[in-house]
Each structure stands twice: as C-alpha cells, then as structure tokens.
Amino acid sequence: MAEAQTTNRGPGRLLIAVYILFAIAATSRAGLQIATKFDRAPVAYLLSAVAALIYIVAAVGLARAGHAGRQVALACCSVELVGVVAVGILSVADQALFPDATVWSGFGSGYGYIPLVLPMLGLYWLWRTRHDPA
C-alpha cells in the first residue's frame, strides 16, 4: 500500500512557496500602508495585515504537515477563502467601503486573482494528501 503524500512534499512545496511569497507581499504592503497612511483607510490596511497573517500561518501549517499542521492549514485556507470572497463582493458592491485596496479587494484582482485561487488550491491539496484509514 502506497503512503499518501504529505502536504510539504512535491507540489506542496510550490504551494508553500507561493504562500510565503504572498506573506511577504501582504506584510510589506500592510506595514507600509499602516505606517504611512493608516488614517486614510484603516479597515482596508488592517484587512491586508490579517491576510498577511493568514498567509504566514497557512505556510507554516502546510510546511509542518502532520495532523496539527493540516488542521492549522485547513482553518487558514477556509478563513482565507471566505475572506477573499466576502471582501471581494463588498469591494465590488460598494467601493466606498474600501477607499484604498486590500490584498483581497476585487477578489484579489490587484494580485492577478491569486488570492482567490490560492485557498482553493490549498484546500484541494489538503484534500488530495489526506490520509484515509484503510
């Protein structure tokens, strides 16, 4: 019987790398915006900081593999998907809610829609690498 793949092997390494890249990008963006113009759009900038935190924790969860890592990654990918869809809908429906863009505005359009696709890939990878008791 072949052993199921862990989350930090094969294509999982690429997924972790993308999460790390987005963690760096979102952290940099949020940090700069919060430090220089927080009063302009605090909700948008704090949402970008939350997205950055989720990317960091998801990357760690995927990299750790194991049961705890999988649970952390599952929670992060789920929250991320709900967040990007909710913020995407709100930012398209009422642009006044977000005077400046967040990582998740317009479903992640500022980042090539990768913020929308990334949690779906993460959830798929977690499903694909699950260990079914035989």
Side-chain angles (χ1 to χ4, degrees), residues 22-108:
F22 269 77
I24 292 167
T27 301
S28 300
R29 177 184 188 152
L32 180 65
Q33 290 172 325
I34 289 169
T36 61
K37 52 185 179 178
F38 183 73
D39 57 333
R40 179 174 169 197
V43 173
Y45 304 149
L46 289 174
L47 278 172
S48 288
V50 167
L53 182 62
I54 290 171
Y55 293 143
I56 292 166
V57 176
V60 170
L62 289 166
R64 282 196 55 198
H67 180 73
R70 292 180 66 79
Q71 295 304 309
V72 166
L74 178 63
C76 286
C77 291
S78 299
V79 169
E80 179 188 355
L81 182 58
V82 169
V84 74
V85 169
V87 171
I89 290 169
L90 290 171
S91 64
V92 170
D94 186 1
Q95 293 178 358
L97 288 174
F98 300 98
D100 205 353
T102 73
V103 174
W104 294 340
S105 292
F107 304 99

